[in-house]
């Protein structure tokens, strides 16, 4: 069964450093998403991406965040200058139709020290 | 904005039936989804309702009433492996917003 893959599974960084989280969505999916989840809390929407541009973004997704689809397969989330409060599990997801069945990757656990 | 409410915790006995309710407020509603998440894992899609009524997938069923902004997930013949968090999620235009999650504990 096709799956969404994310790398790395864990990322440790120093406050103020840039990180890039990588995702390979399912190949025939058209809609891509990033979510984050702080331990024990809900899954929070960050951004959706369609047709090579951002469709929707939340108030969390400020100027420190950016997304890119650099080629036909990868989808990346960049945090320019990490803060302690950025520590969370980051999930990439993709779907065939808008807002329907989302397939999630296994996540990247980001720890900012 | 969007808000979803669901109970924070539910405990049920193995073999029993449990219902997890979800009420929502949203602008722009496409459908209601349910996801399961085991500790340390990723959310996994369970069901999606775009129209009113009941959708059945094996032991899991999901119901939606758009006029009441209400839905529920029904789990039958509970198994120990069903112990997990369950999230309702509202689908809007290119955005899916998750509820706070219900932690289900299945006991022997």
């Amino acid at each position: 069964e096709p799956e969404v893959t994310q790398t790395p599974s864990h990322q440790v960084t120093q406050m103020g450093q840039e990180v890039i989280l990588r995702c390979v969505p399912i190949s025939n999916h058209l809609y891509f998403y990033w979510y984050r989840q702080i331990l024990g809390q809900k899954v929070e929407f960050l951004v959706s991406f369609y047709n090579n541009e951002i469709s929707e973004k939340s108030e969390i997704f400020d100027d420190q965040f950016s997304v890119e689809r650099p080629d036909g397969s990868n989808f990346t989330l960049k945090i320019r200058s990490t803060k302690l409060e950025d520590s969370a599990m980051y999930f990439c997801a993709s779907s065939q139709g808008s807002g329907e069945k989302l397939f999630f990757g296994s996540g990247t656990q980001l720890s900012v020290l | 904005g969007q808000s979803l409410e669901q109970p924070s915790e539910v405990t049920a006995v193995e073999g029993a039936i449990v219902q997890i309710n979800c009420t929502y407020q949203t602008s722009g509603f496409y459908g209601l989804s349910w996801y399961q998440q085991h500790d340390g894992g990723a959310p996994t899609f369970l069901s999606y309702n775009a129209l009113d009524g009941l959708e059945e997938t094996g032991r899991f069923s999901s119901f939606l009433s758009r006029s009441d902004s209400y839905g529920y997930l029904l789990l039958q013949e509970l198994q120990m492996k069903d112990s997990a968090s369950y999230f309702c999620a509202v689908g809007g235009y290119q955005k899916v917003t998750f509820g706070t999650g219900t932690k289900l504990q299945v006991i022997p």
Side-chain angles (χ1 to χ4, degrees):
Chain A
E1 185 174 335
E3 59 180 22
V4 177
T5 56
Q6 288 187 243
T7 54
S9 56
H10 293 83
Q11 176 84 54
V12 180
T13 189
Q14 295 290 324
M15 190 170 58
Q17 295 296 303
E18 174 183 290
V19 294
I20 297 177
L21 310 183
R22 302 180 191 280
C23 170
V24 179
I26 294 172
S27 61
N28 65 342
H29 284 187
L30 301 176
Y31 299 85
F32 314 118
Y33 313 82
W34 282 102
Y35 287 83
R36 78 174 187 190
Q37 185 177 35
I38 295 168
L39 186 63
Q41 297 186 24
K42 72 175 185 177
V43 180
E44 295 180 292
F45 171 80
L46 293 178
V47 66
S48 60
F49 192 87
Y50 170 74
N51 201 25
N52 286 317
E53 61 182 24
I54 290 174
S55 309
E56 291 278 344
K57 60 182 181 178
S58 71
E59 57 276 8
I60 302 170
F61 194 88
D62 60 21
D63 292 343
Q64 295 299 313
F65 292 85
S66 63
V67 290
E68 195 176 39
R69 187 155 164 82
D71 53 43
S73 59
N74 290 283
F75 180 51
T76 62
L77 174 69
K78 182 193 291 186
I79 310 175
R80 286 189 187 80
S81 178
T82 50
K83 303 187 279 279
L84 295 176
E85 54 265 36
D86 293 329
S87 294
M89 178 72 88
Y90 287 79
F91 290 108
C92 173
S94 67
S95 67
Q96 206 161 36
S98 174
E100 296 179 357
K101 179 177 179 179
L102 268 59
F103 289 78
F104 283 81
S106 54
T108 294
Q109 179 65 54
L110 176 66
S111 299
V112 181
L113 306 178
Chain B
Q2 292 165 313
S3 68
L4 297 94
E5 288 190 18
Q6 50 182 131
S8 58
E9 293 181 356
V10 173
T11 300
V13 178
E14 190 177 15
I17 299 172
V18 71
Q19 179 173 313
I20 300 174
N21 297 320
C22 174
T23 57
Y24 60 87
Q25 288 184 315
T26 183
S27 54
F29 178 84
Y30 281 39
L32 187 72
S33 304
W34 289 92
Y35 290 81
Q36 179 191 62
Q37 186 181 34
H38 287 99
D39 284 347
T44 303
F45 173 84
L46 292 176
S47 69
Y48 176 75
N49 294 66
L51 302 174
D52 286 359
L54 193 68
E55 293 281 341
E56 297 181 67
T57 309
R59 294 188 296 115
F60 294 177
S61 303
S62 58
F63 172 82
L64 174 65
S65 169
R66 294 174 68 127
S67 59
D68 295 324
S69 297
Y70 164 76
Y72 65 72
L73 179 70
L74 192 73
L75 297 84
Q76 302 182 70
E77 300 172 19
L78 280 173
Q79 302 175 7
M80 299 299 291
K81 67 178 182 179
D82 297 329
S83 293
S85 292
Y86 292 83
F87 294 88
C88 60
V90 167
Y93 179 68
Q94 298 189 23
K95 176 179 180 180
V96 178
T97 301
F98 282 69
T100 50
T102 298
K103 192 170 181 66
L104 171 65
Q105 183 180 15
V106 180
I107 58 176

